[in-house]
Amino acid sequence: MTITFVGHGYVGIVTACVFADLGNTVYVIGRTPEKIKKLESGDPIIFEPGLQEVLKRNLLAKRIIFTTDYNVAIPSSEIIFLAVGTPPKENGEADLTSIFSVAKEISKHLGKHYSVISCKSTVPVGTNRKIKDIIEKNKPKNALFDVASCPEFLREGTAVNDTFFPDRVVVGSDSKRAIQMLLKLHKPLPGERIIVRLESAEIIKYASNSILSTKISFANLVSFLCEKTGADVEEVLDGVGLDKRIGRSFLFPGIGYGGSCFPKDVLALIKTGESLGIDMKLLIAVNDINQRARDNFIEKIISKTPSKNIGIWGLSFKPNTDDIRFAPSIYIIEKLLAHGYKIKAYDPQAMEHTKKELNHGIIFVRSAFDAVKDTDALIILTEWNEFKQINLHAIKDLMKTPVIIDGRNIYDPTTIKEIGFTYYAVGRQ
Ligand code: UDX
């Protein structure tokens, strides 16, 4: 098939590459010529394991074409995916400016044949009907189209694998023809097919991200209880999570969820619910607990590090990505800098982005070892693999005072104390 993605962020570029790899001709439309040039040269712009390889392979085969020109891509495309950002506005609502302007632009270039316009971006319930109205108003008279919602569930860090092996493919539309086209495109991929109404598909995405956020906040709430009572949160959640009805995944406490999805999607769903007169207390509490997890961790650092001389490991919002959008690290470091902390920081991928965000008062170093040299405490903010089995004896020797404050519970408290560290984790002694 011939398809187009408008937008080459995490969702756009990964999904485009996967469909190109399956043999389709895929256009990707962007706004910035410099970025299009980079993409054409095989640089995916973002760091995502395995992505560059798939991109290069499909560039070579001429199955993926990058352009800024809607007229090159849209008229020949059978399916057009919107994959542009829906960032949060000041009040938490999703900002749909880009979605609507892209919808208008697409509509002007629609060809004579039938096409499906499908939203991959996370958009509040009702948005796809608005997209339909915009296209109806602006399209050439003889252009035939339908809209469909086909939300994306990929996670950063495992995005390529998640896209090749989805748990489910959700398609929401009023039109049987649109549903058939999307099913045809997804045919080679595994996973259950869920065919639903347009509105259901829109809510499935928000409800999925919100329940995962709720699990994380629940784990953090349990960690607060454990910290006050001498229980160990990891033991408790192992005990809870072995119940098959609950499961252990997404029950890892720490410094709260970050990233470009959970924080904004929980807030946006609260806004949607409130605008419909629904009491959204449950998700308001999820958001509050997430905030409290960070603040508790900052209080812990401040109370345990009077010298204010620390090293930090991990800046990205999760491992295997260079993404720092809504990363707990940024919030925590800003607060510590305001308290006069001297900070050395290391992250395997996210230092370049962090330098742009935090351009003073922090020294970025080249290795986990350099980050701890002559410091009085090591603070762990992201659970990168390379920290898990690092030579902790060597780390201890480099530090002035062997203290670790671990926001991700990556070490066994007994072992680490035996090495000679004073160890503070989340919800465990
Ligand atoms: C999420 C969803 O998982 C994905 O399906 C959706 O398409 C986009 O949003 P992502 O944001 O890439 O994906 O990462 P995810 O692995 O879900 O982690 C989000 C945040 O939650 C991270 O900051 C992570 O550290 C945190 N987290 C996750 C926890 O604090 N505890 C957990 O148990 C799991």
Side-chain angles (χ1 to χ4, degrees):
M1 297 175 88
T2 300
I3 64 175
T4 288
F5 281 83
V6 184
H8 49 70
Y10 283 88
V11 169
I13 187 64
V14 173
T15 324
C17 281
V18 166
F19 283 123
D21 216 44
L22 294 170
N24 299 288
T25 300
V26 182
Y27 290 99
V28 179
I29 301 180
R31 269 186 314 190
T32 323
E34 296 78 54
K35 288 189 179 170
I36 294 295
K37 265 206 191 104
K38 272 193 175 176
L39 290 159
E40 280 172 337
S41 75
D43 174 357
I45 301 175
I46 53 167
F47 169 77
E48 184 61 41
L51 179 60
Q52 186 159 41
E53 196 188 319
V54 191
L55 172 62
K56 284 191 165 165
R57 182 160 71 228
N58 287 286
L59 278 167
L60 211 64
K62 298 195 172 15
R63 283 191 296 257
I64 192 160
I65 302 124
F66 295 96
T67 178
T68 54
D69 187 352
Y70 281 67
N71 216 23
V72 168
I74 303 295
S76 59
S77 288
E78 295 157 87
I79 301 176
I80 299 144
F81 288 107
L82 279 79
V84 292
T86 52
K89 290 194 215 167
E90 197 79 358
N91 69 357
E93 267 174 44
D95 184 345
L96 300 175
T97 318
S98 300
I99 289 278
F100 292 146
S101 71
V102 161
K104 194 170 171 189
E105 203 53 41
I106 290 171
S107 59
K108 291 188 212 155
H109 298 274
L110 285 177
K112 285 192 191 111
H113 63 83
Y114 174 79
S115 42
V116 176
I117 290 137
S118 176
C119 208
K120 277 264 167 220
S121 312
T122 306
V123 291
V125 58
T127 306
N128 277 284
R129 297 222 180 266
K130 292 184 188 154
I131 293 174
K132 187 174 177 184
D133 290 345
I134 291 173
I135 297 172
E136 198 71 65
K137 263 193 215 132
N138 295 285
K139 73 175 181 67
K141 271 206 174 64
N142 53 3
L144 288 173
F145 81 101
D146 276 308
V147 295
S149 168
C150 186
E152 185 49 58
F153 299 98
L154 61 80
R155 293 160 298 174
E156 289 179 29
T158 51
V160 175
N161 199 59
D162 287 350
T163 310
F164 272 118
F165 301 99
D167 289 339
R168 78 289 208 196
V169 174
V170 175
V171 181
S173 182
D174 296 339
S175 151
K176 284 204 176 107
R177 193 171 176 190
I179 293 167
Q180 288 315 322
M181 296 257 289
L182 282 161
L183 289 179
K184 185 177 159 197
L185 179 70
H186 286 83
K187 199 159 189 347
L189 301 177
E192 296 271 333
R193 270 47 178 165
I194 316 285
I195 310 304
V196 294
R197 291 152 209 245
L198 206 48
E199 286 75 9
S200 303
E202 292 171 326
I203 295 188
I204 284 172
K205 174 70 198 214
Y206 277 102
S208 300
N209 279 354
S210 295
I211 196 162
L212 292 169
S213 306
T214 304
K215 283 189 86 174
I216 299 168
S217 278
F218 187 82
N220 280 318
L221 184 64
V222 174
S223 83
F224 305 157
L225 281 165
C226 291
E227 221 151 272
K228 297 264 184 212
T229 56
D232 180 314
V233 72
E234 300 298 338
E235 290 175 359
V236 170
L237 292 172
D238 283 345
V240 172
L242 274 173
D243 184 328
K244 285 199 182 66
R245 293 170 301 174
I246 301 168
R248 184 63 165 94
S249 66
F250 281 76
L251 278 183
F252 293 92
I255 51 177
Y257 54 78
S260 65
C261 293
F262 289 176
K264 91 172 161 63
D265 291 351
V266 168
L267 290 178
L269 194 56
I270 292 170
K271 282 287 159 193
T272 301
E274 286 176 348
S275 73
L276 298 166
I278 299 164
D279 183 342
M280 298 301 284
K281 261 196 216 88
L282 174 65
L283 290 184
I284 292 170
V286 166
N287 184 56
D288 288 349
I289 292 169
N290 197 51
Q291 187 59 43
R292 218 189 312 154
R294 291 164 191 208
D295 290 333
N296 283 359
F297 193 68
I298 293 170
E299 280 166 28
K300 194 177 285 176
I301 297 171
I302 291 173
S303 71
K304 308 294 181 198
T305 58
S307 76
K308 301 186 177 181
N309 169 30
I310 59 171
I312 287 182
W313 284 357
L315 299 165
S316 55
F317 82 98
K318 64 183 279 191
N320 300 320
T321 177
D322 60 355
D323 197 349
I324 55 158
R325 286 176 293 171
F326 297 95
S329 66
I330 302 299
Y331 177 80
I332 292 169
I333 292 172
E334 275 174 348
K335 293 276 175 209
L336 294 176
L337 288 173
H339 275 83
Y341 270 73
K342 278 200 331 215
I343 299 175
K344 282 195 274 186
Y346 167 72
D347 185 284
Q349 290 293 338
M351 293 205 287
E352 286 313 308
H353 288 319
T354 313
K355 276 178 198 166
K356 288 178 205 148
E357 195 85 7
L358 302 168
N359 49 17
H360 63 273
I362 170 164
I363 300 169
F364 294 94
V365 295
R366 284 166 173 268
S367 77
F369 294 94
D370 290 344
V372 297
K373 202 161 179 289
D374 298 325
T375 60
D376 291 309
L378 160 63
I379 316 295
I380 301 174
L381 299 183
T382 316
E383 68 277 33
W384 283 90
N385 269 344
E386 68 171 72
F387 306 146
K388 291 182 180 163
Q389 292 192 324
I390 199 162
N391 182 345
L392 286 168
H393 294 277
I395 294 294
K396 181 172 160 268
D397 290 344
L398 285 168
M399 294 178 73
K400 254 210 296 213
T401 326
V403 174
I404 296 180
I405 308 178
D406 181 358
R408 300 290 186 171
N409 290 357
I410 64 174
Y411 298 124
D412 169 49
T414 313
T415 319
I416 200 134
K417 283 173 195 164
E418 276 168 9
I419 297 173
F421 283 99
T422 306
Y423 182 61
Y424 304 101
V426 175
R428 57 198 325 206
Q429 320 306 315

